[in-house]
């Protein structure tokens, strides 16, 4: 009897043999598996039998697709920054940012630890591998920074600001805003081991209280904002001491023997043991927004509202040097010294900045890319261009993620109105004044500014340009503007070929042959228009276009307006509904695999990323890791191997498109079919799930017949060939 067991499952967890009376009577089964990268175990999915009963492992397979590159990302205030002890890694956390690990020397984002829902407030202990984060769904997460997985999840208010004790055993929670679901502002201590509340439990009748920093594993400083300072000890209700006064911001000397606070531009050093005054510094020229004590205790850095950073001597406040470079920008909300004191970091609304203190150079923008909200992928596969909320347009190498050029984005530019031409050489950028700029994609050079559909030199203002889409041949551009006018313009002279009023349009796209225009209309219908004159061909139910397949003859859509999660396939020639399935997916973004057989969805709230089979609605895999950060949109590279996605944390992610392997057995023949991501693929076999794996010399693009497997029970896996 022929037996077959797919790689990655165990003999103990499932019945995996096909039943039948002999080789000619082996019943057919289908198995989905996914090869993520060379050298890792194959991800195994569910088994479904066609005319057979097969017991499968419960649940949806879960794995992290390989990241091709990851750049940028913001750290919105209130920002937390911590170095690893050796200074090689920088960890940051902030609102809607998750916890991010950076390669400090390379100034590159390595990975993101995301709790699930969007983060709000956080604290970090990198050398203990811990992060505490509150999220928008009113929960507190203790995350393992090494694995990216939660250790403890508890209900709290999203306005609870955590401060981790140095040993990571406790978290001081300060409710900084009552909010719609929180109680009165106050403070309590959480012990992680049993999720119990410890003293001090402190409630305020008015105002707000913050835990500023820890003196030791048991003692911390709390600030009754604008009123007093209090030193507390975990396990004790009453403070060890109080000192009246309005002190903010604050920083503690390494070792915890003294600390500094700023009182009305006057920096003062206080004794940590009793809160008494030790010394005063000269007044600051501008209000302080952040302070940081150097690791050796000799210097203190002050970030000022005017964009200047001053470094002063800790013994008497004498000015050592002034760092410029942030003038005219938002004041820094956080400062951090590197462990070797070679660098000083500042975080503000714009991004992270780093001064090399031995050089007289301006601060280096730490991130190569920040706050990407929209991207367009050039059809030549060489470039990705992003529109950002930090007033920049960035040209990025699609293969490596390197930022090739950065250009200022005028206030007149619409960051979401970007479209690369099919040839990949020209970028169209819509403006708020109705004009259209054409840039060279390779270097960001402005080539031309035009007003589509208007005579040259027309001085009259035009409505803001919103949506842009090139025709497949590059000869036409679909333009939708704020007046709800949809136009088709020639790209050689920018004359209008056709126009129509389409209210509530959210997305527009040409069909692959260029004869039709698909317009997704919010909460109404999807309209199929004739590209030549924009007359209505037919209407489809409300939803969004996922993509085209079957050589452009079929349209895949996701329903909306009460039909959320309905995945449907339509024939474009006559509008016939070929089939539809209900997905467990409510809102977010989606993309179609190059072969049109897998749809990828990302939940806009939780970041849950899932691969679904279009024809059956089967959940193929739950994708985690960097893909688990909520995505703003997806873009497939022309070669069909990667998806590029701007994320809600402002970063840009490129990851390999998962592929799946379907096997069917007929007699002694096992046929394998890869679908989803593009190949070519190499087939491997082994007698056991843990190997040893041997190459079969079979390389295929989509389908192949498996050679006989070694051992009684054959195990197969595939990998994408580079």
């Amino acid at each position: 009897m022929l037996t077959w067991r797919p790689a990655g499952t165990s003999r103990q967890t499932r019945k995996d043999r096909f039943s039948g009376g002999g080789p000619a009577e082996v019943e057919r089964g289908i198995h989905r598996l996914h090869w993520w990268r060379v050298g890792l175990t194959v991800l195994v999915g569910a088994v479904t039998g066609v005319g057979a009963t097969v017991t499968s492992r419960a649940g949806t397979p879960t794995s992290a697709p390989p990241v091709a590159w990851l750049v940028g990302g913001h750290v919105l205030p209130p920002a937390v920054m911590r170095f690893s002890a050796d200074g090689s890694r920088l960890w940051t956390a902030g609102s809607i940012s998750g916890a991010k690990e950076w390669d400090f020397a390379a100034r590159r984002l390595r990975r993101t630890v995301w709790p699930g829902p969007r983060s709000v407030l956080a604290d970090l202990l990198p050398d203990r591998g811990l992060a505490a984060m509150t999220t928008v769904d009113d929960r507190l997460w203790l995350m393992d920074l090494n694995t990216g997985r939660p250790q403890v999840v508890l209900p709290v208010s999203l306005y609870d600001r955590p401060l981790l004790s140095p040993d990571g055993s406790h978290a001081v929670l300060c409710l900084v805003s009552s909010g719609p679901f929180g109680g009165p502002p106050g403070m309590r201590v959480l012990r992680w081991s049993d999720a119990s509340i410890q003293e001090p439990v402190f409630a305020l009748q008015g105002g707000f209280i913050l835990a500023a920093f820890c003196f030791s594993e048991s003692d911390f400083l709390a600030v009754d904002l604008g009123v007093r300072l209090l030193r507390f000890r975990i396990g004790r209700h009453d403070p060890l001491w109080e000192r009246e006064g309005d002190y903010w911001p604050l920083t503690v000397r390494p070792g915890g023997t003294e600390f500094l606070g700023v009182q009305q531009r006057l920096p003062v050093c206080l004794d940590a043991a009793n809160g008494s005054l030790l010394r005063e510094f000269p007044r600051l020229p501008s209000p302080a927004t952040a302070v940081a004590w150097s690791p050796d205790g000799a210097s203190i850095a002050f970030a000022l509202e005017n964009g200047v950073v001053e470094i002063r001597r800790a013994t008497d406040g004498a000015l050592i040097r002034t760092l410029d470079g942030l003038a005219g920008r938002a004041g820094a909300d956080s400062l951090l010294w590197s462990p070797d004191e070679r660098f000083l970091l500042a975080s503000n609304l714009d991004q992270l900045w780093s001064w090399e203190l031995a050089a007289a150079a301006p601060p280096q923008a730490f991130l190569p890319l920040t706050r990407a909200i929209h991207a367009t992928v050039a059809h030549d596969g060489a470039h990705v261009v992003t529109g950002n909320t930090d007033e920049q347009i960035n040209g990025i190498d699609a293969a490596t993620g390197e930022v090739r050029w950065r250009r200022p984005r005028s206030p007149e530019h619409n960051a979401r109105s970007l479209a690369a031409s099919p040839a990949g050489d020209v970028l169209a950028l819509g403006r708020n004044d109705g004009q259209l700029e054409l840039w060279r994609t390779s270097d960001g050079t402005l080539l031309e500014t035009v007003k589509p559909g208007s005579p040259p030199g027309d001085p009259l203002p035009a409505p803001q340009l919103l949506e842009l889409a090139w025709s497949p041949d590059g000869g036409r551009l679909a333009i939708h503007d704020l007046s709800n006018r949809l136009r088709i313009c020639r790209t050689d002279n920018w004359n209008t070929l056709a126009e129509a009023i389409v209210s509530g349009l959210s997305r527009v796209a040409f069909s692959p042959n260029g004869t039709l225009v698909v317009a997704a209309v919010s909460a109404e219908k999807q309209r199929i228009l004739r590209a030549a004159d924009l007359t209505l061909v037919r209407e489809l139910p409300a939803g969004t276009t996922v993509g085209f397949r079957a050589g452009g003859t079929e349209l895949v859509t996701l329903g909306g307006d009460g039909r959320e999660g309905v995945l449907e396939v339509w024939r474009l020639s006559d509008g016939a509904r070929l089939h539809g399935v209900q997905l467990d997916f409510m809102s977010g973004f989606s993309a179609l695999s190059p072969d049109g057989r897998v749809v990828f969805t990302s939940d806009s709230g939780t970041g849950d990323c899932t691969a679904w089979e279009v024809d059956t609605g089967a959940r193929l895999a739950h994708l985690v890791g960097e893909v688990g950060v909520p995505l703003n949109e997806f873009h497939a590279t022309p070669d069909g191997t990667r998806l590029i996605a701007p994320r809600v944390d402002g970063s840009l992610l490129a990851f390999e498109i998962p592929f799946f392997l379907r096997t069917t057995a007929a007699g002694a023949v096992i046929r394998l079919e890869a679908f989803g991501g593009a190949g070519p693929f190499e087939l491997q076999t082994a007698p056991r799930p843990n190997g040893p794996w041997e190459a079969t010399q079979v390389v295929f693009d989509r389908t192949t017949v498996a050679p006989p497997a070694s051992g009684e029970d054959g195990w197969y896996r595939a990998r994408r060939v580079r």
Side-chain angles (χ1 to χ4, degrees):
M1 176 182 291
L2 173 69
T3 60
W4 169 79
R5 182 166 64 234
T9 56
S10 66
R11 189 187 302 268
Q12 292 77 22
T13 58
R14 63 187 286 170
K15 298 176 182 178
D16 44 53
R17 297 171 184 264
F18 295 111
S19 59
E25 301 175 15
V26 174
E27 299 178 5
R28 302 176 62 209
I30 298 174
H31 182 76
R32 298 183 298 275
L33 58 84
H34 174 144
W35 174 255
W36 293 109
R37 58 166 73 93
V38 178
L40 293 185
T41 303
V42 174
L43 170 68
V44 177
V47 170
T48 58
V50 180
T53 301
V54 184
T55 304
S56 68
R57 185 176 63 185
T60 301
T62 299
S63 193
V67 172
W69 46 261
L70 175 64
V71 294
H74 54 57
V75 185
L76 295 178
V80 178
M81 300 190 293
R82 302 280 190 268
F83 271 105
S84 60
D86 61 4
S88 63
R89 294 173 296 122
L90 173 71
W91 282 91
T92 62
S95 178
I96 320 180
S97 304
K100 298 184 181 301
E101 181 187 13
W102 308 85
D103 183 324
F104 182 65
R107 305 296 197 273
R108 291 297 297 266
L109 179 60
R110 294 185 60 187
R111 62 191 180 100
T112 305
V113 175
W114 192 264
R118 303 187 185 193
S119 59
V120 181
L121 301 167
D123 194 23
L124 299 165
L125 288 178
D127 288 322
R128 293 193 177 272
L130 296 175
M133 288 184 273
T134 60
T135 52
V136 294
D137 62 344
D138 294 295
R139 289 192 287 176
L140 173 67
W141 302 66
L142 181 66
M143 302 294 296
D144 186 321
L145 295 179
N146 298 314
T147 65
R149 297 177 178 175
Q151 292 188 357
V152 181
V153 183
L154 298 170
V156 299
S157 167
L158 66 93
Y159 299 108
D160 270 310
R161 184 171 183 168
L163 174 69
L164 289 166
S165 62
D167 62 358
S169 62
H170 295 77
V172 183
L173 299 177
C174 292
L175 190 60
V176 297
S177 173
S178 57
F181 305 109
M187 178 183 70
R188 71 263 195 220
V189 176
L190 172 70
R191 185 167 62 197
W192 292 111
S193 61
D194 57 2
S196 63
I197 299 299
Q198 306 292 306
E199 292 285 3
V201 177
F202 192 84
L204 290 178
Q205 298 303 315
F208 300 102
I209 190 167
L210 290 176
F213 49 74
C214 291
F215 294 109
S216 64
E217 293 184 354
S218 61
D219 289 16
F220 62 92
L221 183 73
V223 185
D224 186 355
L225 288 176
V227 180
R228 55 184 167 163
L229 303 175
L230 308 98
R231 177 167 179 163
F232 283 102
R233 178 163 295 161
I234 295 175
R236 171 174 166 163
H237 177 75
D238 295 324
L240 300 179
W241 55 257
E242 298 183 28
R243 181 183 178 90
E244 293 185 356
D246 182 7
Y247 300 90
W248 193 263
L250 297 134
T251 183
V252 63
R253 182 188 181 104
T257 58
E258 60 179 290
F259 65 100
L260 177 139
V262 180
Q263 188 177 36
Q264 300 296 322
R265 299 195 189 184
L266 179 66
V268 296
C269 288
L270 304 173
D271 191 327
N274 53 32
S276 62
L277 178 66
L278 295 176
R279 56 193 177 278
E280 294 182 351
F281 287 2
R283 289 179 63 85
L284 301 172
S286 178
T289 57
V291 290
W293 215 305
S294 65
D296 66 359
S299 306
I300 302 174
F302 296 82
L304 307 181
E305 278 187 359
N306 61 10
V308 170
V309 175
E310 292 186 349
I311 298 179
R312 293 176 175 262
R313 194 161 55 216
T315 55
D316 56 9
L319 182 63
I320 298 174
R321 65 181 297 187
T322 299
L323 302 174
D324 296 314
L326 298 187
R329 303 180 184 273
D333 69 279
S334 182
L335 289 173
L336 179 68
W337 296 78
S338 63
D340 59 8
E341 301 183 14
R342 290 180 53 206
F343 298 93
L344 182 66
L345 276 66
S347 170
N348 67 2
L349 278 171
D350 292 331
Q351 65 151 298
L352 298 179
W353 304 90
S354 173
W355 283 273
E356 186 172 1
L357 298 179
Q364 178 184 355
F366 192 82
L367 313 182
L369 173 72
T370 58
R371 304 192 200 170
I373 59 174
H374 177 66
T376 180
V377 179
H379 290 224
D380 62 358
H383 302 92
V384 180
V385 180
T386 66
N388 308 334
T389 59
D390 65 346
E391 309 303 329
Q392 296 285 331
I393 302 292
N394 296 277
I396 298 166
D397 188 308
T400 65
E402 294 295 328
V403 178
R404 296 303 187 189
W405 54 265
R406 289 172 64 86
R407 297 288 182 268
R409 178 171 68 83
S410 164
E412 288 296 329
H413 292 154
N414 181 354
R416 294 185 179 275
S417 186
L418 292 173
S421 65
D425 56 339
V426 177
L427 172 72
L429 195 155
R431 292 174 37 144
N432 297 333
D433 60 3
Q435 297 191 81
L436 184 74
E437 293 187 5
L438 301 174
W439 294 19
R440 190 159 55 216
T441 309
S442 60
D443 59 10
T445 299
L446 176 63
L447 301 175
E448 186 180 11
T449 300
V450 298
K451 185 183 288 186
S454 300
D458 180 12
L460 297 177
Q464 176 186 12
L465 302 187
L466 300 177
E467 294 289 326
L468 305 175
W470 292 82
S471 63
D473 61 3
R476 294 161 293 165
L477 187 71
I479 304 172
H480 183 248
D481 62 36
L482 194 59
S483 68
N484 292 320
R485 182 174 52 161
L486 176 63
R487 289 173 287 168
I488 305 296
C489 295
R490 290 177 51 163
T491 57
D492 55 355
N493 57 20
W494 297 105
N495 290 335
T496 299
L497 298 174
E499 66 177 75
I501 298 298
V502 182
S503 301
L505 187 147
S506 60
R507 187 175 178 182
V508 61
F510 279 92
S511 62
N513 63 9
T515 62
L516 300 174
V517 171
V518 179
V521 183
S522 302
E524 291 184 14
K525 299 285 186 180
Q526 295 180 90
R527 297 176 183 172
I528 309 298
L529 308 172
R530 186 174 292 106
D533 54 12
L534 291 183
T535 55
L536 181 66
V537 176
R538 65 186 55 86
E539 289 186 339
L540 303 179
T544 58
T545 299
V546 179
F548 298 92
R549 70 174 201 165
T553 62
E554 296 176 1
L555 177 69
V556 181
T557 66
L558 262 175
D561 190 28
R563 304 174 63 255
E564 285 79 5
V566 178
L567 183 69
E568 296 168 295
V569 180
W570 309 85
R571 189 165 54 219
L572 281 175
S573 61
D574 58 6
R577 182 179 184 269
L578 300 180
H579 69 267
V581 292
Q582 177 68 55
L583 307 183
D584 183 16
F585 173 74
M586 294 302 294
S587 65
F589 298 90
S590 58
L592 195 64
S593 64
D595 62 0
R597 302 192 39 196
V598 179
V599 63
F600 302 95
T601 62
S602 176
D603 188 285
S604 56
T606 65
D608 287 340
C609 192
T610 306
W612 313 82
E613 188 171 16
V614 173
D615 293 327
T616 65
R619 191 191 303 257
L620 298 173
H622 179 62
L623 310 181
V624 295
E626 294 295 340
V627 185
V629 178
L631 309 177
N632 280 333
E633 55 193 20
F634 293 97
H635 299 276
T637 56
D639 63 2
T641 62
R642 293 178 180 175
L643 285 173
I644 296 176
R647 307 191 301 184
V648 299
D649 67 346
S651 61
L652 191 68
L653 170 70
F655 63 97
E656 295 188 8
I657 299 178
F659 69 85
F660 303 87
L661 193 65
R662 169 167 290 131
T663 66
T664 56
V669 177
I670 299 176
R671 185 173 298 277
L672 301 102
E673 178 189 21
F675 64 100
F681 309 105
E682 178 189 71
L683 190 66
Q684 297 180 343
T685 184
R688 295 175 297 278
N690 58 349
W693 291 96
E694 296 180 358
T696 62
Q697 306 303 314
V698 174
V699 177
F700 64 103
D701 285 320
R702 286 299 175 190
T703 62
T704 188
V705 174
S710 57
E712 178 188 357
D713 296 324
W715 291 70
Y716 295 96
R717 73 179 185 184
R719 68 177 180 91
R720 183 178 277 135
V721 178
R722 299 297 178 202

